Amino acid sequence: MAGRQLASKWLKTEALLTDPQVAPYIPATMPYAADTLVSMLDEHGMVVIKPIVGTGGNGVIRVLQDGTGYLITHKRRSVHVNTLHSMQYVLSRMRLRRRYIIQQGIHLASIQGRPLDYRVKVVKERGRWEFRAMLGRLASPGLFVTNICKGGSLLRLRHALRLSLPHINAWEKRNEMRHLTRQCIAILEARFPGIGELGFDYGLDHEGKIWILEVNTRPA
């Protein structure tokens, strides 16, 4: 039985940010606002804009600030604009009428130029949380989202780690991911009693640091 579902990305992020051990794993995340977008781009150089309620990578937009303006990517389409006003106009045309969050963009480790992240799925059975899957998800060529429904490919976790980050210890990184997952389960279960299934989306940057990109209560 799946148990309680919680659609809001912001509520789950807020809960995890309350723990000082877990908070450093979370990219800077704020509710969407035009001035927040500008300040986060100035600070981080790249942001990802996500619907607060949404699945499958739908509606996700990436904005990259460079020396000549802004590169806006949605699905397989990229548009470069020179001014802040132009960027905000393009975003107003791309975004659906939903509420969004802005997340610090992470330059994910990749395989042959294709970004990679990791899905860790856990299920509560007979009062105990069990790991059901730990897999790498490789983005379809030309996309920055890794969702399988968008053409992403599944890889065994340690194989994905070795291909994308050959300089790190894949076994140690897997264990760090498992430990972090257990910490997050405890926080989320205390805040949202009744959850019975969780899917954690982790990203690793080029230095091998783990980032919590998203948590789902209805993981595919």
Side-chain angles (χ1 to χ4, degrees), residues 69 112 135:
Q112 297 180 337
L135 295 165

Side-chain angles (χ1 to χ4, degrees), residues 49-194:
I49 303 170
K50 301 178 178 181
I52 286 181
V53 177
T55 59
N58 293 311
V60 179
I61 302 163
R62 184 179 65 188
V63 183
L64 178 67
Q65 183 172 273
D66 59 25
T68 59
Y70 307 91
L71 181 67
I72 305 160
T73 302
H74 179 230
K75 299 180 181 176
R76 295 185 187 276
R77 179 180 174 225
S78 291
V79 178
H80 190 276
V81 297
N82 298 323
T83 67
L84 181 62
H85 177 77
S86 298
M87 176 192 68
Q88 291 174 333
Y89 174 76
V90 171
L91 287 175
S92 72
R93 298 297 299 270
M94 284 183 173
R95 292 173 57 239
L96 304 177
R97 295 184 181 278
R98 292 189 274 178
R99 291 189 303 146
Y100 281 70
I101 57 172
I102 311 173
Q103 190 175 77
Q104 169 191 352
I106 305 300
H107 293 277
L108 296 175
S110 60
I111 298 174
Q112 297 180 337
R114 296 161 63 182
L116 178 75
D117 69 10
Y118 297 86
R119 166 58 63 90
V120 176
K121 185 175 177 180
V122 291
V123 176
K124 193 171 189 180
E125 292 280 359
R126 296 180 293 278
R128 293 172 59 90
W129 285 92
E130 300 175 1
F131 284 80
R132 289 293 173 85
M134 296 185 74
L135 295 165
R137 301 189 305 177
L138 186 64
S140 174
L143 288 182
F144 70 90
V145 296
T146 61
N147 304 79
I148 303 308
C149 62
K150 296 288 188 290
S153 306
L154 291 175
L155 299 172
R156 287 180 292 111
L157 183 132
R158 277 186 287 166
H159 182 59
L161 286 169
R162 291 188 183 112
L163 287 177
S164 60
L165 293 163
H167 59 285
I168 70 167
N169 185 312
W171 183 260
E172 287 180 1
K173 194 57 60 174
R174 170 188 173 275
N175 288 342
E176 183 184 353
M177 218 176 281
R178 288 176 69 94
H179 177 69
L180 178 59
T181 299
R182 291 190 185 98
Q183 288 179 292
C184 292
I185 290 170
I187 298 163
L188 293 170
E189 194 169 29
R191 179 67 67 93
F192 308 112

Side-chain angles (χ1 to χ4, degrees), residues 28 39-47 104-105 107:
S39 63
M40 287 188 68
L41 277 170
D42 285 343
E43 183 172 356
H44 303 293
M46 181 173 74
V47 299
Q104 169 191 352
H107 293 277

